[in-house]
Amino acid sequence: MKVSNMQAGIYKLLVLLAAILFYGCVEETFVEPKLYGNLSGVVLSAKEKQPLANAIVRISPSGKTLETDANGKFRVDSLLVDSYSVQTSLDKYRSDVTSIEIEEGKLTNITVYLAIDNNQNKPPLKAKIISPENGSSGNELKTVLKWQKSDPENDTLRFNVFLFKEGQPANTMVAKDIWTDSLMVSNLGYNTTYFWQVVTMDSTNAPVYGEVWSFKTREASNLPYFYSRKIDNNYQIFASDSIETIQITKFGGNWRPTLSPNRQKLAFISNINTVPHIFVSDLTGKFITKATVVPIAGISTIDLSFCWSPDGTELLYPNFDKLYAVKTDGTGLRIVAQAPYGRFFAGCDWTGQGNKIVARITGSSVYDNELHLINPATGVLSNLISGRPGRMSNPDFSPDGKKVVFALDLDNFQNNEGRQYNSNIQLVDIQNGVTSNISSGKELGTNDLEPRFSPNGARIIFTNTSNDGYSEKSIFSIYISGSERTQIIKNGEMPEWR
């Protein structure tokens, strides 16, 4: 069929319009792919650089929130590449905000340091007493101080502990920065009131001072034996029974313990002020006072002895050629006797039975000795023992005033060190001058030294040691008959019997 030109034109136009419509409805679209990165971090304390667990980590604007693990670490995967702020917070710490950039396919690592926020942490509470009970008495000389600690936020606490005697400054610290809530204290004094205080500290707040508490130690036992013992090359005075031993003195050098006639006061020689003087205290070493103004002195300081007056108001002691008496408060110094020319007093005892003094007098050597009786009223001397070769100890009266005991080296050994070889205990009757040796049972090669009567006069207490001059000294007792030789104390000398 023959198509007219008009029809052909219309057909072409329709085809063109259809093509235009078809291609006009097709739109080209391009989709941009999403890009991701990862984040890892650790949260540490700013001061100690220790990991902080359970810290809250918020990542904005992602909306993600998480907590650090036990090692202070956290991790977030598949964060869109972008800029973020990481906010970290934890109780008691100041919050931190850190800006980060997450990059495509990379792991971003950060370390966050959190500092303590002092405005958040509450101070610890005052310590509460547990033991010893406040105001209690009869406590042992070795006592555990114990208290209860408390902190509102369970902080780790430290403590300073103060302990001081009644009448002493309240600033004696006995423990500093301890972590335990108890403290053992020892070497306390008998019958003494102590005060103590606990200061509690955390790592943030100012120290919290507790209440001041008190306790009193028990009274001393009636210990029967007093003696000297060397501690770090210094003599100190001790008291003992078969079970308990206490140290009476602790400072300087102290020796020759001598009890008052009523057995309630203790006197001793001390070089705490360099020059030896006589001091007086109670039986536990408290209330010490210096009694002598003129020092005790003689040929051999350690060998010197002194005594109380029978009424206990004065002390009688040697100072070279003079025998002095002084009241226990240091007043009333007087000369009781003068030694013969070229002779020196070394030791003495004074009995109220007949009011007599016995004194050892020496020459320029410790091996040159005599015993004299002295009239306290006149100072007149009368010879009791003389012409006995060998080193001699100081004398002691029996309670009835009829006998005097002393020690004498029967072998008369002499050298430059003043050594003795065979010292024995001698008992002399002052009425007839008869002397007997009561050192029965003494081990060969040893010395019996420094004898003194027991208060009832039945026994004698003394020191025994090897004659080598170096061995440990021990204290024994024996009946005046020489029987039943018994060791009482090891490592002791210069004994006194209460």
Side-chain angles (χ1 to χ4, degrees):
M1 184 171 70
K2 191 174 182 178
V3 180
S4 65
N5 290 334
M6 181 177 292
Q7 288 177 323
I10 293 171
Y11 176 77
K12 290 180 180 179
L13 179 60
L14 290 173
V15 171
L16 179 60
L17 289 172
I20 293 172
L21 288 173
F22 174 79
Y23 287 107
C25 291
V26 177
E27 180 180 355
E28 185 176 358
T29 301
F30 298 94
V31 178
E32 184 176 349
K34 293 184 178 181
L35 305 178
Y36 295 92
N38 304 311
L39 171 64
S40 175
V42 61
V43 180
L44 305 175
S45 58
K47 184 177 181 180
E48 297 86 2
K49 306 298 186 291
Q50 294 298 310
L52 297 175
N54 305 120
I56 304 300
V57 180
R58 296 180 177 87
I59 303 169
S60 299
S62 73
K64 294 183 180 294
T65 300
L66 60 155
E67 289 187 4
T68 56
D69 63 17
N71 297 314
K73 296 180 178 180
F74 66 91
R75 181 182 174 107
V76 181
D77 292 322
S78 302
L79 279 174
L80 287 171
V81 172
D82 203 347
S83 297
Y84 296 90
S85 63
V86 178
Q87 181 181 0
T88 309
S89 59
L90 182 61
D91 190 29
K92 302 180 186 178
Y93 291 83
R94 289 196 293 268
S95 297
D96 177 86
V97 177
T98 301
S99 297
I100 61 169
E101 295 287 338
I102 296 297
E103 300 181 46
E104 179 186 356
K106 291 184 178 180
L107 175 64
T108 301
N109 290 292
I110 64 171
T111 300
V112 177
Y113 295 99
L114 297 185
I116 290 287
D117 187 349
N118 293 336
N119 294 324
Q120 292 187 39
N121 188 267
K122 295 179 181 179
L125 303 180
K126 289 182 180 180
K128 293 183 179 180
I129 189 170
I130 295 179
S131 65
E133 185 178 344
N134 190 30
S136 62
S137 59
N139 295 282
E140 292 297 328
L141 306 192
K142 186 176 183 180
T143 296
V144 176
L145 308 179
K146 189 168 181 59
W147 57 93
Q148 179 180 322
K149 61 183 179 180
S150 182
D151 187 88
E153 295 159 334
N154 294 320
D155 288 343
T156 300
L157 301 177
R158 297 171 291 117
F159 306 96
N160 293 339
V161 182
F162 292 84
L163 177 70
F164 49 94
K165 293 181 185 179
E166 185 175 20
Q168 289 187 338
N171 59 355
T172 306
M173 185 183 296
V174 293
K176 183 178 182 181
D177 284 339
I178 63 172
W179 302 92
T180 58
D181 52 4
S182 64
L183 176 69
M184 172 72 78
V185 291
S186 57
N187 295 322
L188 303 176
Y190 282 100
N191 197 29
T192 302
T193 298
Y194 288 89
F195 297 91
W196 62 295
Q197 183 181 34
V198 176
V199 182
T200 307
M201 300 167 290
D202 60 12
S203 59
T204 304
N205 297 279
V208 177
Y209 285 76
E211 305 295 333
V212 176
W213 304 307
S214 70
F215 66 93
K216 191 173 184 179
T217 53
R218 69 178 178 89
E219 294 186 358
S221 304
N222 293 324
L223 302 176
Y225 309 116
F226 287 74
Y227 55 94
S228 297
R229 173 183 288 170
K230 272 194 173 181
I231 303 292
D232 298 328
N233 293 319
N234 264 331
Y235 281 110
Q236 300 299 343
I237 295 174
F238 289 77
S240 292
D241 59 13
S242 58
I243 300 174
E244 183 178 10
T245 297
I246 65 170
Q247 185 172 341
I248 305 295
T249 61
K250 297 177 182 177
F251 303 103
N254 307 276
W255 65 96
R256 199 69 62 186
T258 306
L259 297 181
S260 61
N262 65 3
R263 276 19 200 186
Q264 298 303 309
K265 293 288 185 181
L266 172 68
F268 53 91
I269 303 171
S270 177
N271 64 4
I272 193 168
N273 295 328
T274 305
V275 177
H277 279 273
I278 300 174
F279 288 75
V280 176
S281 73
D282 70 3
L283 298 186
T284 65
K286 291 171 59 179
F287 313 113
I288 297 177
T289 58
K290 179 169 163 283
T292 51
V293 179
V294 175
I296 185 170
I299 295 300
S300 174
T301 303
I302 294 298
D303 274 353
L304 300 178
S305 76
F306 65 96
C307 66
W308 293 77
S309 64
D311 62 4
T313 62
E314 292 182 298
L315 295 166
L316 186 70
Y317 69 98
N319 181 279
F320 293 108
D321 63 342
K322 295 180 178 61
L323 199 60
Y324 283 103
V326 66
K327 292 182 180 180
T328 57
D329 63 0
T331 64
L333 180 69
R334 62 190 179 92
I335 297 175
V336 175
Q338 179 87 36
Y341 179 78
R343 311 291 287 177
F344 307 100
F345 288 108
C348 55
D349 195 23
W350 190 349
T351 178
Q353 305 303 316
N355 194 24
K356 298 181 290 289
I357 293 171
V358 61
R360 180 168 69 98
I361 297 178
T362 73
S364 59
S365 166
V366 295
Y367 295 109
D368 179 8
N369 298 276
E370 300 170 349
L371 293 183
H372 287 263
L373 295 175
I374 303 173
N375 185 326
T378 64
V380 174
L381 282 67
S382 60
N383 183 271
L384 178 63
I385 298 289
S386 62
R388 300 283 184 91
R391 187 167 178 177
M392 183 184 292
S393 76
N394 292 315
D396 185 62
F397 270 118
S398 61
D400 62 8
K402 295 180 179 181
K403 293 181 174 61
V404 169
V405 68
F406 63 97
L408 179 69
D409 183 2
L410 300 183
D411 287 5
N412 189 24
F413 182 86
Q414 298 185 26
N415 67 3
N416 292 333
E417 288 74 39
R419 180 180 171 184
Q420 302 179 72
Y421 192 77
N422 184 28
S423 181
N424 284 245
I425 299 172
Q426 307 293 296
L427 195 63
V428 58
D429 188 317
I430 66 172
Q431 294 299 319
N432 55 32
V434 174
T435 302
S436 56
N437 184 350
I438 63 171
S439 278
S440 60
K442 181 176 73 71
E443 186 178 343
L444 188 66
T446 66
N447 290 316
D448 286 346
L449 308 166
E450 305 165 332
R452 295 180 70 86
F453 280 98
S454 64
N456 65 5
R459 293 180 71 87
I460 289 171
I461 193 170
F462 61 95
T463 302
N464 177 266
T465 186
S466 171
N467 63 20
D468 61 13
Y470 302 102
S471 299
E472 181 179 86
K473 297 178 179 180
S474 297
I475 295 173
F476 285 74
S477 72
I478 196 171
Y479 278 106
I480 61 173
S481 63
S483 63
E484 295 190 23
R485 182 185 184 96
T486 306
Q487 186 180 54
I488 299 173
I489 295 164
K490 296 188 67 176
N491 187 18
E493 56 187 294
M494 307 180 199
E496 169 74 308
W497 208 330
R498 185 178 183 189

